[in-house]
């Protein structure tokens, strides 16, 4: 006797060897023996043989018309034997009954299983809905297959053209388009980004990196709706100075300018004039909400996304030939020893005589010409005086820094400025500590420290940057933190440090400017009228949001600088390049700030210059492969080599992760302004000073 039975949801056949109670000992077609319970047996028969029955049953199941079978079944529950007699017109033969069972079992849309060998026809409405769903899936499968073929042929399906960014950066994995993209990538052994580049969904790797950043950080777009610039108060006094700024040629948000006046008593009055949008923008107004949503201007080589609309920047930038609203810090100096006799802060209109540019002055203004008085250039006398004071300010900071137990700052590294025009990049080396850079850096540090002290003395909270004095290991102690109370910045060598000098492009500075204006105007009553009160939850929220946004912006800037470094390699056809050893296997190219890791690098002194053979690079994942080509027999340390890489990394000056780049300088004009803080800050991509 043979059996057709159900086991673990599958149908099987076999020959009975023995029966014991409620179970059979059965030999399967494969020769395997198994125990089958009586309740699981659907058919008992003598002929045909089990293997033949299997084949015949499959043939019957394939020929059964499910629609006709559903009509025959009616709406009542039935057993397969009953339905077989109706369908076949006679008592079903073993192979017919087995085929019918297979057909019923494999058509759950038509028939619901109600028990062992028992079924019920699906209601008509449910059947129609299910069949429509099946047909829809079939059509979707055909469309998906067509999409896959188009993608494999480097053609972007029309339905994907409006959802490229969504597919790349935040896909709905249940959509037909994503499934097609994923399938095509699997078949091509590629990834979505590269396939979108191949199909033209994304034009270039640069657009890929920019689009990802904008999608994640500016989902509504980076533009601004039309908005009129607010007017500064009409009663501002006019300063009796001729101020000038010092910036890179690409700078449009000119935040700071300087003036020098020799008084009748021989004292010098140095003015540090900061653009004052805080005089017109008020907390919680429409412009403030825009600025707070962005937190900072975003910089990248060749482009930027401003924190404020262009019209508002234009209204408050310190442009030459205009009387500009400014928050001025005046320091009265004794030129005999460059001590600060007194300081004064006030809001006023400042005449801007000139916007000096680095590209015009860098060759003319250096330590030699300042010492000898050689050369002619605008504001020569004022620059000479500011240079002397800047050196005194730096010396004072270094003394205080050493008092905190830190080494003096190192200025032996090189900065790089990127200029991009028509997709052609120029990378300019810039030695740190140049006089113009140092003047701006030291006076900005002086202003930020002085105004931080002013807020503290008036009992007004602000946003400070603090370093040192924490708990934990050395790196933790030297981590730069943003706090709302005055605290030392040991790396800079100042007792307090509040970002206040870039209110056009950093929201923290705008917030601090409101607080400083309250102190300057209201004196001891400032805590009552300042927009932010002590322990203000809103101020803490700003600090937290700024940290998150600035970290994202700096990561993006770092990626874009790395991208343009790789573009430079191709543009210059640079296959054999010079590199400086930073530490062990970590090197930096001499001509561009591209830091790479070279596994297996022999032990070479830090600062030594070697030659590399560039094998390949990838502008999509920003990777590069190189091999060591030559180690000079006489290893000379380059004068501008970053010999302090390891020491400063341990002290918080550079990233301990050699794949990361040093802290980002957010604008070309900041390259030197940020030197002092860069030389002291931590392993995070900490934005540089201003």
């Amino acid at each position: 006797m043979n059996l057709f039975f159900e086991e673990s949801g599958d149908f099987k056949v076999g020959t009975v060897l023995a029966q014991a109670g409620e179970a059979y000992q059965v030999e399967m077609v494969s020769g395997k023996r198994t125990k089958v319970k009586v309740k699981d047996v659907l058919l008992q028969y003598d002929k045909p043989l089990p293997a033949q029955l299997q084949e015949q049953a499959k043939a019957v199941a394939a020929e059964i018309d499910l629609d006709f079978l559903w009509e025959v079944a009616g709406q009542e529950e039935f057993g397969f034997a009953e339905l077989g007699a109706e369908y076949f017109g006679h008592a079903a033969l073993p192979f017919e009954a087995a085929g019918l069972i297979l057909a019923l079992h494999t058509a759950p849309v038509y028939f619901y299983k109600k028990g062992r060998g028992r079924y019920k026809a699906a209601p008509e409405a449910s059947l129609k809905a299910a069949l429509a769903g099946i047909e829809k899936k079939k059509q979707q499968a055909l469309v998906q297959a067509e999409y896959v073929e188009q993608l494999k042929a480097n053609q972007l399906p029309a339905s994907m053209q409006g959802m490229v960014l969504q597919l790349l950066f935040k896909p709905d994995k249940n959509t037909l388009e994503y499934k097609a993209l994923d399938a095509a990538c699997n078949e091509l052994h590629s990834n979505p980004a590269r396939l979108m580049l191949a199909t033209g969904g994304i034009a270039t790797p640069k657009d890929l990196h920019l689009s990802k950043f904008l999608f994640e950080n500016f989902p509504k777009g980076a533009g601004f709706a039309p908005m009129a610039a607010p007017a500064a108060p009409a009663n501002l006094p006019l300063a009796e100075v001729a101020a000038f700024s010092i910036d890179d040629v690409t700078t449009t948000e000119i935040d700071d300018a300087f003036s020098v006046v020799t008084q009748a008593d021989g004292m010098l009055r140095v003015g540090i004039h900061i653009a004052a949008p805080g005089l017109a923008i008020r907390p919680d107004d429409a412009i403030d909400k825009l600025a707070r949503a962005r937190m900072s201007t975003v910089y990248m080589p060749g482009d930027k996304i401003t924190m404020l609309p262009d019209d508002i920047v234009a209204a408050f930038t310190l442009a030459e030939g205009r009387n500009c609203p400014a928050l001025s810090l005046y320091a009265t100096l004794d030129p005999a020893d460059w001590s600060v006799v007194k300081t004064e802060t006030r809001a006023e209109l400042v005449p801007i005589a000139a916007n000096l540019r680095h590209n015009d002055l860098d060759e003319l203004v250096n330590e030699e010409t300042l010492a000898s008085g050689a050369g002619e250039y605008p504001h020569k006398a004022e620059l000479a005086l500011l240079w002397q004071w800047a050196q005194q300010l730096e010396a004072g900071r270094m003394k205080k820094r050493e008092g905190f137990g830190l080494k003096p700052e190192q200025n032996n590294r090189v900065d790089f400025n990127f200029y991009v025009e028509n997709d052609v990049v120029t990378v300019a080396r810039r030695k740190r500590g140049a006089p113009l850079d140092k003047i701006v850096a030291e006076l900005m540090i002086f202003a930020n420290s002085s105004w931080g002290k002013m807020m503290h003395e008036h009992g007004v909270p602000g946003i400070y940057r603090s370093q040192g004095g924490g708990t934990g290991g050395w790196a933790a102690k030297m981590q730069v933190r943003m706090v709302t109370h005055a605290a030392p910045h040991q790396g800079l060598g100042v007792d307090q440090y509040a970002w206040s000098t870039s209110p056009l492009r950093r929201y923290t500075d705008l917030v601090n400017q409101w607080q400083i204006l309250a102190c300057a105007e209201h004196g001891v009553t400032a805590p009552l009228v300042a927009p932010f009160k002590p322990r203000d939850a809103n101020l803490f929220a700003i600090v937290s949001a700024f940290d998150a946004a600035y970290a994202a912006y700096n990561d993006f800037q770092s990626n874009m600088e790395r991208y343009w470094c790789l573009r430079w390699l191709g543009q210059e056809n640079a296959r054999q390049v010079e590199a400086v050893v930073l530490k062990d296997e970590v090197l930096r190219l001499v001509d561009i700030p591209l830091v790479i890791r070279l596994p297996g690098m022999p032990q070479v002194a830090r600062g030594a210059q070697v030659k590399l053979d560039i094998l390949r690079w990838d502008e999509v994942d920003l990777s590069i492969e190189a091999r060591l080509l030559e180690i000079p027999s006489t290893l000379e340390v380059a004068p501008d080599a970053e010999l302090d890489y390891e020491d400063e990394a341990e002290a918080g000056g550079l990233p301990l992760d050699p794949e990361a780049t040093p802290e980002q300088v957010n604008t070309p004009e900041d390259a030197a302004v940020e030197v002092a803080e860069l030389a002291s800050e931590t392993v995070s991509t900490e934005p540089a000073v201003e």
Side-chain angles (χ1 to χ4, degrees):
M1 182 174 62
N2 302 315
L3 301 180
F4 181 82
F5 59 94
E6 186 175 356
E7 183 180 72
S8 302
D10 196 9
F11 296 99
K12 299 178 181 180
V13 291
T15 301
V16 175
L17 299 177
Q19 182 177 5
E22 295 297 313
Y24 294 100
Q25 182 74 15
V26 176
E27 183 177 33
M28 313 284 284
V29 175
S30 63
K32 178 183 176 182
R33 297 186 178 186
T34 186
K35 183 185 289 185
V36 179
K37 295 180 180 179
V38 171
K39 67 182 183 64
D40 293 332
V41 176
L42 297 171
L43 292 173
Q44 295 182 7
Y45 66 96
D46 292 323
K47 294 181 180 180
L49 295 174
Q52 293 176 327
L53 182 107
Q54 274 186 321
E55 295 303 318
Q56 292 172 354
K58 289 178 182 178
V60 169
E63 293 175 357
I64 287 178
D65 184 338
L66 291 174
D67 292 312
F68 178 62
L69 187 65
W70 178 83
E71 291 179 5
V72 171
Q75 294 301 307
E76 299 299 324
E77 183 180 319
F78 59 86
F80 72 92
E82 304 162 23
L83 183 62
E86 290 283 337
Y87 181 79
F88 294 110
H90 58 80
L93 298 173
F95 72 90
E96 290 176 327
L100 181 60
I101 293 173
L102 293 178
L104 291 168
H105 186 74
T106 55
V109 169
Y110 285 86
F111 303 100
Y112 302 154
K113 188 174 182 180
K114 292 297 182 179
R116 192 76 65 183
R118 298 195 61 78
Y119 296 87
K120 187 177 187 302
E124 183 176 4
S126 299
L127 177 60
K128 288 182 177 179
L131 291 176
I134 291 172
E135 182 60 26
K136 181 179 179 181
K137 288 182 179 180
K138 287 181 180 178
Q139 294 302 318
Q140 287 178 336
L142 292 174
V143 172
Q144 179 177 321
E146 182 180 351
Y147 286 172
V148 171
E149 292 305 312
Q150 286 180 291
L151 289 167
K152 287 165 62 179
N154 289 339
Q155 298 173 2
L156 186 66
S159 67
M160 292 188 182
Q161 291 175 6
M163 55 190 304
V164 170
L165 301 184
Q166 188 77 32
L167 286 169
L168 285 178
F169 309 129
K170 194 177 180 182
D172 179 352
K173 296 185 178 181
N174 293 316
T175 61
L176 190 64
E177 288 78 8
Y178 175 80
K179 291 177 181 177
L181 180 62
D182 185 57
C185 287
N186 288 334
E187 292 188 34
L188 294 172
H189 304 289
S190 184
N191 60 50
R194 294 186 190 280
L195 189 49
M196 282 300 179
L197 285 166
T199 61
I202 294 287
T204 65
K206 179 186 74 172
D207 294 330
L208 175 69
H209 300 308
L210 179 58
S211 296
K212 184 176 189 295
F213 173 76
L214 294 176
F215 185 86
E216 293 175 348
N217 296 278
F218 294 85
K220 296 181 180 180
F224 293 97
M227 182 174 293
N235 59 348
L236 292 175
L238 181 65
E240 296 181 359
V241 299
F244 58 93
S245 63
I246 305 171
D247 294 282
D248 186 81
V249 66
T250 61
T251 302
T252 57
E253 299 157 294
I254 303 175
D255 288 299
D256 50 83
F258 313 100
S259 64
V260 181
V261 174
T262 302
Q263 300 183 149
D265 59 2
M267 297 292 181
L268 296 178
R269 190 183 67 166
V270 174
I272 301 172
H273 311 285
I274 305 302
L279 290 168
I281 301 171
R282 302 310 306 159
D284 292 324
D285 69 12
I287 300 174
D288 172 51
K289 289 176 181 176
L290 277 179
R292 183 168 176 175
R294 299 196 174 200
M295 285 293 173
S296 170
T297 291
V298 182
Y299 292 94
M300 69 200 88
D303 203 359
K304 63 183 175 182
I305 303 169
T306 58
M307 181 179 76
L308 294 169
D310 290 345
D311 289 345
I312 296 172
V313 171
F316 292 96
T317 189
L318 303 182
E320 68 180 23
R322 287 171 35 187
N323 297 332
C324 300
L327 178 63
S328 297
L329 172 65
Y330 287 101
T332 301
L333 310 177
D334 184 346
D337 59 3
W338 296 100
S339 59
V340 178
V341 177
K342 65 175 182 176
T343 60
E344 178 188 2
T345 297
R346 63 171 179 256
E348 58 188 2
L349 290 176
V350 175
I352 306 299
N355 293 142
L356 305 183
R357 302 294 185 175
H358 282 295
N359 60 309
D360 296 325
L361 293 181
D362 278 349
E363 297 298 323
L364 298 173
V365 183
N366 53 54
E367 295 187 28
E368 291 74 22
T369 57
L370 286 168
S372 65
E376 293 299 327
Y377 42 86
H379 297 278
K380 177 179 177 180
E382 293 98 319
L383 287 171
L385 292 170
L386 292 179
W387 169 239
Q388 293 181 67
W389 187 36
Q391 293 179 89
Q392 295 297 317
L393 288 172
E394 182 185 44
R397 287 195 308 106
M398 291 305 97
K399 184 176 181 180
K400 196 167 190 67
R401 175 184 161 104
E402 291 175 23
F404 287 131
L406 302 179
K407 297 178 182 179
E409 289 174 0
Q410 299 291 324
N411 284 327
N412 61 328
R413 292 193 300 273
V414 178
D415 286 316
F416 295 86
N417 288 349
F418 290 78
Y419 303 95
V420 179
E421 187 172 354
N422 298 325
D423 225 28
V424 176
V425 61
T426 302
V427 184
R429 287 165 55 93
R430 185 178 181 82
K431 183 75 168 66
R432 290 186 179 177
L436 290 179
D437 295 340
K438 187 171 292 187
I439 288 170
V440 176
E442 292 301 332
L443 269 63
M444 293 303 101
I445 294 170
F446 176 79
N448 287 325
S449 179
S450 297
W451 278 332
K453 181 180 180 181
M454 179 183 185
M455 288 189 288
H456 174 65
E457 290 177 343
H458 282 76
V460 171
I463 299 177
Y464 293 82
R465 298 177 66 73
S466 171
Q467 183 187 45
T471 58
W474 175 247
K477 290 180 181 178
M478 296 310 294
Q479 178 74 40
V480 174
R481 298 167 294 129
M482 298 189 75
V483 295
T484 58
H485 60 274
H489 194 304
Q490 295 183 3
L492 286 177
V494 292
D495 291 322
Q496 63 283 311
Y497 185 75
W499 265 350
S500 312
T501 53
S502 291
L504 291 177
R505 50 195 175 87
R506 234 174 8 218
Y507 189 69
T508 50
D509 301 54
L510 179 60
V511 167
N512 281 340
Q513 187 170 92
W514 285 324
Q515 302 294 86
I516 295 164
L517 285 167
C519 295
E521 183 177 354
H522 298 282
V524 294
T525 62
L528 301 177
V529 297
F532 300 95
K533 306 300 187 287
R535 306 189 67 79
D536 192 322
N538 202 21
L539 195 60
F540 292 126
I542 290 171
V543 169
S544 177
F546 182 86
D547 271 339
Y550 218 48
Y553 296 174
N554 277 322
D555 285 345
F556 170 65
Q557 181 183 353
S558 175
N559 284 340
M560 292 309 294
E561 289 185 356
R562 190 169 182 86
Y563 165 80
W564 283 111
C565 283
L566 298 179
R567 289 279 296 175
W568 183 91
L569 291 175
Q571 176 185 300
E572 302 298 320
N573 194 27
R575 295 294 174 176
Q576 295 185 359
V577 297
E578 301 292 331
V580 173
V581 178
L582 301 183
K583 177 189 175 185
D584 299 334
E585 299 178 344
V586 182
L587 304 92
R588 191 213 70 212
L589 302 195
V590 170
D591 295 320
I592 56 175
L594 183 61
V595 177
I596 64 176
R597 183 186 293 276
L598 200 64
M601 174 82 180
Q603 191 71 31
V604 178
R606 286 191 296 137
Q609 195 161 304
V610 299
K611 183 175 287 188
L612 300 180
D613 186 17
I614 304 297
L615 302 177
R616 63 187 64 85
W617 62 86
D618 192 319
E619 295 175 7
V620 176
D621 61 21
L622 303 179
S623 62
I624 183 170
E625 293 181 29
R627 66 184 178 90
L628 185 62
L629 192 64
E630 180 182 323
I631 301 177
S633 55
T634 303
L635 289 176
E636 295 184 0
V637 175
D640 59 0
E642 300 181 14
L643 293 178
D644 54 341
Y645 184 86
E646 184 175 25
D647 295 337
E648 292 215 8
E650 292 172 356
L654 290 166
L656 290 174
D657 176 7
E659 293 297 332
T661 55
E663 285 190 83
Q664 298 306 300
V665 174
N666 286 323
T667 65
E669 67 269 23
D670 285 345
V673 178
E674 320 243 349
V675 167
E677 192 170 0
L678 175 59
S680 65
E681 296 198 354
T682 66
V683 299
S684 62
T685 318
E686 181 59 49
V689 193
E690 178 148 42

